[in-house]
Amino acid sequence: MPPMPASKEKTSISVFGLGYVGCVCCGCFAELGSRVIGFDTNTTKLDLINSGKATILEDKVDALIGKHVATGSLAATSDAQHAVWNTEVSILCVGTPSTEKGHLDLECIFDAAAMVGEALRQKDDFHTVAIRSTVLPGTNRKVTEIIEERSGKKSGVGFGVVSNPEFLREATAVDDFMHPAHIIIGDGCEQARQSLKAIYAGIDAPIREVSTEAAEILKYVNNAFHALKISFTNEVGRICKETGIDAREVMSLVVADKILNISPYYMKPGFAYGGSCLPKDLKALKTISHDNYVTTPIIDSIRYSNVSHIISGFRLVTGFKKKNVGIIGLSFKPGTDDLRNSPTVELVEKLSGKGYWINIFDRDVEFSALAGKNKEYIDSVLPHLSVMLNERLNDVVDQSEVIVVTKNEDGLSDLVSRHPEKVIVDLVGLAGIADHPNYHGICW
Ligand SMILES: NC(=O)c1ccc[n+]([C@@H]2O[C@H](COP(=O)([O-])OP(=O)(O)OC[C@H]3O[C@@H](n4cnc5c(N)ncnc54)[C@H](O)[C@@H]3O)[C@@H](O)[C@H]2O)c1
């Protein structure tokens, strides 16, 4: 195990909620050198902490709680005001369970915010509040409003609220806390961000200052991704078992590829996938599972997800109610003239089917050079492609009311900046055109 970071005296912290996350925070922040006061509405948890015991069964936490209660750097209180008045930062780690109907119950976090707000009414010094619980986007704003209302102070002046999600896993919580992939600090005022950075000094991990909403949604996205990975891997496992293949060997090869598989590749929000390989090979894997009576809902639904994305692109373009649409880039990716299963071809097909007038520029696609399966494909889905293709980027921009960008082109940003009245729909996330007044990204 890597060594614990060295400790030194620093910012005092109150931890609201002494469950899994709060108890680990108490032990770890004390270990990092802060003086910590724990607060919980459950008095049994307060008694446990004050007798030097963890409130949870978790490796290494008991030892940290015992050590720091003994030295006096950690104590628990039933008095929320005392906790706030005697610390510079309050970290909210209260529960955010699901209601019976499946909604998130944020009552505890709003109650904790109210308690902090009440206490701040009679505190002169600036106070930082960090939301460590997993909460829906928009919660930071609501917590800020509650504290403003209860304290009579202005956010950014008397106090600041930052979003600081926790990513620890039970059973390895202390190691996860001390050696995180990164520390996320979602917005808040400068003073609040600085005091939060100070309490993490000693942890060797990048601090990422991001928007509040990105910090709030991140934990949900991470956990959905983890659940997806587990379920996808188990679907592969079931297919492999039925076909006499060792899934452990297959998945160890999948994760060994750090270039295309375990990497940022294919993980940039943008337009739908396409081309001659992904759709075909996905179909083949689906067929193998079907033929072997293996149920694989995730693998089966990937294509539906992709089709929904093409439809959302179509709705974005048609939402402007302008009939002349220019398309920059038609093949499924830059540097190829392969039009087979290009999502842009599907988009063009839908638009022209609805009577839109389409003008296409793609420097990789020369109509007379299309041949073989590529030509057969395009003749079947876009028989009038030759009249839509235009060799000059300028002409396409000039003649279109809506310009849909699927590939970067030299000079494109200058060209569109001369036409502020045109609508720009960016399907790939290009640099240099986002400041256009009528710019719309597909996922941003
Ligand atoms: N358990 C995990 O592994 C984990 C990991 C990362 C994030 N989270 C998130 O962290 C949050 C806390 O999770 P947990 O597992 O520690 O929950 P938990 O249920 O173990 O603990 C929550 C604690 O909050 C206390 N509480 C409720 N209202 C309070 C109030 N107004 N003031 C003070 N204390 C109050 C409860 O008495 C309880 O002790 C949740 O949002 C959870 O989703 C949990």
Side-chain angles (χ1 to χ4, degrees):
M1 187 202 113
M4 293 273 191
S7 67
K8 65 176 177 51
E9 180 62 38
K10 51 186 180 189
T11 318
S12 52
I13 299 169
S14 44
V15 173
F16 276 64
L18 301 174
Y20 278 91
V21 170
C23 187
V24 172
C25 277
C26 283
C28 291
F29 280 122
E31 182 70 9
L32 287 173
S34 286
R35 196 171 46 75
V36 181
I37 302 178
F39 167 79
D40 200 294
T41 47
N42 180 330
T43 52
T44 308
K45 299 200 179 183
L46 303 176
D47 294 343
L48 278 167
I49 296 282
N50 284 329
S51 60
K53 295 195 177 70
T55 62
I56 52 167
L57 182 71
E58 174 71 45
D59 192 27
K60 298 178 185 165
V61 180
D62 236 4
L64 289 179
I65 300 288
K67 173 179 163 188
H68 292 291
V69 169
T71 62
S73 53
L74 169 63
T77 178
S78 58
D79 183 348
Q81 280 197 338
H82 169 85
V84 173
W85 288 349
N86 289 284
T87 56
E88 295 147 87
V89 176
S90 290
I91 305 186
L92 308 187
C93 303
V94 299
T96 51
S98 297
T99 63
E100 271 182 20
K101 289 189 173 157
H103 295 114
L104 195 68
D105 181 356
L106 294 170
E107 201 179 316
C108 292
I109 199 117
F110 296 148
D111 284 351
M115 290 175 185
V116 172
E118 288 294 340
L120 288 181
R121 190 168 275 282
Q122 294 169 59
K123 188 182 178 197
D124 292 333
D125 296 340
F126 183 88
H127 197 79
T128 296
V129 179
I131 302 176
R132 196 87 174 133
S133 301
T134 304
V135 294
L136 290 173
T139 306
N140 183 312
R141 200 173 357 97
K142 179 77 183 148
V143 162
T144 304
E145 281 168 16
I146 293 171
I147 299 177
E148 282 192 329
E149 195 186 306
R150 295 297 184 114
S151 67
K153 296 183 178 206
K154 281 301 290 167
S155 165
V157 183
F159 71 96
V161 182
V162 293
S163 294
N164 173 228
E166 171 62 69
F167 302 112
L168 61 79
R169 296 161 297 170
E170 290 175 19
T172 54
V174 172
D175 291 346
D176 289 349
F177 184 100
M178 292 295 187
H179 307 284
H182 47 207
I183 294 160
I184 301 294
I185 299 185
D187 219 350
C189 62
E190 179 62 21
Q191 194 171 350
R193 284 200 301 273
Q194 290 309 329
S195 50
L196 208 68
K197 281 186 199 169
I199 65 172
Y200 285 104
I203 290 192
D204 184 17
I207 291 185
R208 302 195 201 284
E209 294 183 52
V210 302
S211 70
T212 308
E213 289 76 14
E216 290 178 315
I217 204 167
L218 182 61
K219 181 65 194 259
Y220 294 112
V221 174
N222 277 356
N223 277 348
F225 185 45
H226 300 159
L228 174 71
K229 287 201 290 186
I230 292 170
S231 300
F232 173 81
T233 301
N234 289 337
E235 288 192 4
V236 171
R238 295 202 293 273
I239 295 171
C240 286
K241 182 171 166 65
E242 287 307 312
T243 49
I245 300 165
D246 187 341
R248 293 165 302 184
E249 184 183 11
V250 174
M251 287 311 297
S252 71
L253 295 170
V254 169
V255 299
D257 178 346
K258 303 280 192 284
I259 297 173
L260 294 184
N261 293 350
I262 308 301
S263 74
Y265 216 87
Y266 299 124
M267 295 203 74
K268 199 170 133 211
F271 200 35
Y273 69 76
S276 59
C277 291
L278 264 53
K280 171 176 77 68
D281 296 347
L282 185 60
K283 214 183 277 177
L285 190 62
K286 226 176 110 177
T287 307
I288 296 171
S289 67
H290 178 263
D291 290 353
N292 286 280
Y293 302 98
V294 180
T295 311
T296 51
I298 290 175
I299 291 170
D300 296 353
S301 61
I302 295 172
R303 165 146 173 79
Y304 297 111
S305 174
N306 205 47
V307 169
S308 316
H309 203 52
I310 295 172
I311 291 169
S312 79
F314 171 77
R315 290 202 180 122
L316 179 59
V317 174
T318 54
F320 301 108
K321 311 260 182 266
K322 293 177 188 289
K323 283 288 176 187
N324 293 326
V325 177
I327 305 278
I328 313 296
L330 184 67
S331 66
F332 87 99
K333 66 177 181 182
T336 174
D337 70 349
D338 197 350
L339 300 170
R340 289 171 298 168
N341 296 309
S342 162
T344 313
V345 170
E346 288 186 46
L347 177 67
V348 168
E349 186 194 7
K350 283 187 198 317
L351 288 168
S352 68
K354 286 281 178 200
Y356 284 78
W357 192 78
I358 309 289
N359 210 340
I360 302 170
F361 174 83
D362 188 326
R363 71 172 67 253
D364 299 318
V365 178
E366 194 185 329
F367 188 76
S368 58
L370 295 176
K373 293 279 178 213
N374 201 14
K375 177 85 166 69
E376 272 174 39
Y377 172 77
I378 207 67
D379 284 347
S380 70
V381 295
L382 277 186
H384 308 302
L385 176 64
S386 61
V387 294
M388 297 176 184
L389 275 176
N390 195 317
E391 286 174 5
R392 288 167 48 86
L393 176 63
N394 282 19
D395 291 352
V396 171
V397 171
D398 282 348
Q399 292 163 22
S400 307
E401 296 164 285
V402 177
I403 298 157
V404 180
V405 184
T406 84
K407 288 182 189 175
N408 200 0
E409 275 303 329
D410 285 348
L412 184 63
S413 59
D414 287 346
L415 205 52
V416 297
S417 70
R418 274 185 258 132
H419 297 281
E421 76 290 357
K422 298 194 190 251
V423 173
I424 309 296
V425 174
D426 182 3
L427 302 186
V428 279
L430 293 180
I433 56 171
D435 51 2
H436 186 279
N438 279 315
Y439 173 87
H440 302 267
I442 184 154
C443 295
W444 50 90

